[in-house]
Amino acid sequence: MERIELNTLLIFQSITLNGILDQIVMLWNIIKLPFVVPTLQVMVNVCLVMSVMLFMERVCMGIFKLFIILLRRKPETNYKWEAMQDDVEFGTSNYPMVLVQIPMYNEKEVYQLSIEAACELSWPSDKIIVQVLDDSSDQAIKELVEVECMKWKGKGINIKYEIRDNRNGYKAGALKEGLKHSYVSQCDFVAIFDADFQPESDFLKRTIPFFVHNHDIGLVQTRWKFVNANECLMTRMQEMSLNYHFSVEQEVGSQTCAFFGFNGTAGVWRIEALNEAGGWKDRTTVEDMDLAVRASLKGWKFVFVNDIKVKSELPSTFKAFRYQQHRWSCGPSNLFKKMAFEIATNKKVSFWKKLHMLYSFFLVRKVVAHIVTFAFYCIVLPLTVLVPEVQVPIWGIAYIPTVITILNAIETPRSLHLIIFWVVFENVMSMHRTKAAIVGLLEIGNVNEWVVTDKLGDASKIKASSNVPLLCTAPKKKSGPTIWGRLNKLEMVAAMFLFLCGWYDFVHGKNYLFIYIFLQCIAFLVVGFGYVGTFIPK
């Protein structure tokens, strides 16, 4: 009797489940052609337009870069540049006064490296002031930094240790307060180095001559050199993206329109240009880019020197990297919203320079690039396997992304064999960048959130002193179970979506798109589980 009742119940449940599934399928068939297909087709078309915009921008940048190489154009030949020389009669009087600012916040691992590098800059001792701007909240670290400053002061270095009683404006606020001290009035230029940057001793002797002989130059930006690029797969991926940024975007901007974004560190400003632009502002999380745009609109020219490289550190945990990318994606889109009208109506710069700033620099690179990477390759393209009525042209799926990828990766030839890893990792990160860009455009949520990127010091030194390989893994959260605490939920949801689309295409599709979808699914799973590092053979 009980067996009959159990069988009856199972049959009833099966009928009910089948009925529900039948209803879902019937509803899907009803709305598919009149609603789903047209909507998805519009999404595909919009994404294709954005892909073409990004493609054309990258190709044009590549062409300009090729001409720069073929014509052997160098900043030293484009602008008058002569090495600084001691005057036999007047000594160092022809050297301008330079202020070196080092903003820091709880930089226990790297403060000694940055202070030492700044104090060892080759420049007349009576013509340089090193200013350490310490916003640390940890009193013990503050004491360590102050002791380090006193040590160099005892060696005859003109070093100033400055603190504030608040952190208003974060880095921008610290730099702004630093310029208010009376001794700054005697300085002509200010060099800025974040706490994890160590310039070579000849840095000032190679940058300051640009200003001395060209009075319309307001900024000289140098390139970053990464001391921990070999630490793990994640740092190798970052190196590929940043090498393209410096070698192509920054150099082309400098050689053509003489405009590019200040990187916030490893650069020198003419204080006159900085003040004329309105000084530091903390209205966005990219105070460096904000200042560069305002100074450019005042007519100042910028120079990027690719041959001068300053040692720096890449984020080696996913948490730190994600916070950094949020800041770098949210801030530019927010600044774009705030300054678009001001740029368009400016009378001091040419039409082409304004077009470069609005279209290429802001719209394509800071907004379209993020949105199309995530929306097209992680959402729309996988969705098309569920709706075969929507067709995507082969040039949109293969040709355009292939060319863009090659143009980016060619600047880091030693990592060409990692190009697949770079593609899928960039697609994963595009989710966070897209979210940040939208937050910046709409000015909602954590639009002004500022989280300082954790530094670990010179990774090569860490490896040399330890037999344990260093992994790039997201730090475990203190609350909740160990496994649950390290999960990245958004990545896991995206992985599930991609798996379903990939499985459907594997069973029913004929275009082998499931291979790409499964690769992307694996990337989201790896990041979702918190394992974003791996060993890299040297």
Side-chain angles (χ1 to χ4, degrees), residues 68-304:
I68 291 171
I69 295 173
L70 294 177
L71 298 177
R72 298 181 180 179
R73 291 175 61 87
K74 295 286 184 180
E76 292 82 358
T77 56
N78 297 344
Y79 299 92
K80 185 178 180 182
W81 189 97
E82 294 179 5
M84 303 295 296
Q85 300 290 339
D86 290 342
D87 190 283
V88 177
E89 183 177 355
F90 298 103
T92 62
S93 61
N94 63 323
Y95 283 80
M97 195 74 175
V98 179
L99 175 70
V100 179
Q101 288 186 314
I102 310 175
M104 57 178 59
Y105 175 74
N106 293 337
E107 311 287 2
K108 183 179 179 181
E109 304 296 336
V110 294
Y111 74 92
Q112 288 179 307
L113 296 173
S114 58
I115 294 175
E116 178 183 3
C119 291
E120 291 183 346
L121 286 169
S122 179
W123 200 253
S125 59
D126 60 329
K127 294 293 184 177
I128 185 172
I129 302 174
V130 178
Q131 187 185 66
V132 178
L133 304 170
D134 191 6
D135 273 0
S136 299
S137 57
D138 190 318
Q139 187 59 37
I141 296 178
K142 273 189 174 183
E143 293 174 1
L144 291 172
V145 176
E146 185 173 13
V147 168
E148 184 70 13
C149 292
M150 292 303 103
K151 182 185 80 174
W152 286 99
K153 192 176 186 69
K155 295 181 179 181
I157 302 297
N158 188 1
I159 186 169
K160 308 289 185 180
Y161 177 70
E162 307 291 356
I163 61 173
R164 302 187 292 165
D165 57 3
N166 59 71
R167 286 195 68 215
N168 294 340
Y170 303 106
K171 178 182 174 181
L175 294 171
K176 185 176 182 179
E177 286 296 315
L179 293 175
K180 291 181 179 180
H181 294 282
S182 59
Y183 55 82
V184 176
S185 61
Q186 58 186 304
C187 298
D188 302 298
F189 307 101
V190 54
I192 303 169
F193 301 102
D194 283 352
D196 57 322
F197 280 72
Q198 302 105 49
E200 298 295 333
S201 60
D202 63 349
F203 179 87
L204 294 178
K205 288 192 172 182
R206 298 180 67 184
T207 55
I208 295 299
F210 284 106
F211 295 103
V212 173
H213 303 294
N214 305 275
H215 298 288
D216 56 348
I217 291 178
L219 165 69
V220 173
Q221 173 71 60
T222 63
R223 184 169 176 169
W224 299 358
K225 178 182 179 181
F226 313 111
V227 298
N228 64 333
N230 286 327
E231 187 173 341
C232 67
L233 183 58
M234 191 177 73
T235 53
R236 291 286 288 269
M237 302 300 98
Q238 294 177 66
E239 182 192 33
M240 291 179 70
S241 298
L242 289 172
N243 279 349
Y244 175 83
H245 168 69
F246 284 108
S247 294
V248 179
E249 292 178 342
Q250 297 293 76
E251 185 157 24
V252 170
S254 175
Q255 295 274 3
T256 54
C257 297
F259 171 76
F260 51 86
F262 175 43
N263 294 116
T265 179
V268 186
W269 277 95
R270 187 188 298 272
I271 293 182
E272 179 188 352
L274 195 154
N275 290 333
E276 187 180 342
W280 294 103
K281 294 184 179 181
D282 60 356
R283 57 181 177 172
T284 70
T285 57
V286 283
E287 72 293 324
D288 43 13
M289 186 183 296
D290 188 352
L291 176 61
V293 172
R294 287 184 280 113
S296 183
L297 294 180
K298 292 294 183 180
W300 291 98
K301 293 182 179 179
F302 303 159
V303 176
F304 174 72

Side-chain angles (χ1 to χ4, degrees), residues 496-513:
M496 292 173 60
F497 164 74
L498 289 168
F499 177 80
L500 292 174
C501 293
W503 180 255
Y504 183 88
D505 191 54
F506 176 74
V507 175
H508 301 285
K510 298 179 181 180
N511 54 11
Y512 301 101
L513 196 59

Side-chain angles (χ1 to χ4, degrees), residues 31-97:
I31 67 173
K32 182 179 179 181
L33 288 177
F35 298 107
V36 176
V37 172
T39 301
L40 188 57
Q41 188 64 61
V42 169
M43 294 171 65
V44 168
N45 293 339
V46 171
C47 288
L48 288 175
V49 170
M50 291 193 291
S51 294
V52 171
M53 291 171 64
L54 182 60
F55 171 77
M56 293 302 297
E57 196 269 344
R58 292 294 169 90
V59 170
C60 288
M61 296 287 282
I63 293 173
F64 280 123
K65 175 66 177 182
L66 181 61
F67 274 110
I68 291 171
I69 295 173
L70 294 177
L71 298 177
R72 298 181 180 179
R73 291 175 61 87
K74 295 286 184 180
E76 292 82 358
T77 56
N78 297 344
Y79 299 92
K80 185 178 180 182
W81 189 97
E82 294 179 5
M84 303 295 296
Q85 300 290 339
D86 290 342
D87 190 283
V88 177
E89 183 177 355
F90 298 103
T92 62
S93 61
N94 63 323
Y95 283 80
M97 195 74 175

